[in-house]
Amino acid sequence: MSKTKLTVLSNGSLKVQGDFEIVDKDGNVYDLGGRDLVSLCRCGLSNNKPFCDGSHRNHFEHTAEAFDLPPKK
């Protein structure tokens, strides 16, 4: 089984790669058609939510740079 990798893309989507499943609020599994890589919408503009359709172009700005979260309380 491959490790799941989430990549936050600057000015764009969240790339999910590896062995994973995506479920809706009721636990129903999305049929990913055998894909092991998908892009999820972060801007809210996609007509294919939760998946990215490129609608963010020129409408969404976020520089993806890693940082440390504070310790859990």
Side-chain angles (χ1 to χ4, degrees), residues 28-61:
N28 299 308
V29 178
Y30 285 88
D31 180 355
L32 302 177
R35 291 171 179 81
D36 62 0
L37 187 150
V38 297
S39 292
L40 299 177
C41 177
R42 290 197 306 136
C43 72
L45 298 173
S46 176
N47 290 315
N48 195 33
K49 291 182 199 84
F51 305 101
C52 177
D53 69 0
S55 294
H56 61 270
R57 285 188 181 82
N58 302 316
H59 300 286
F60 182 70
E61 292 185 23

Side-chain angles (χ1 to χ4, degrees), residues 2-14:
S2 66
K3 184 175 174 182
T4 300
K5 180 178 179 181
L6 302 173
T7 305
V8 181
L9 300 174
S10 290
N11 303 322
S13 61
L14 178 67

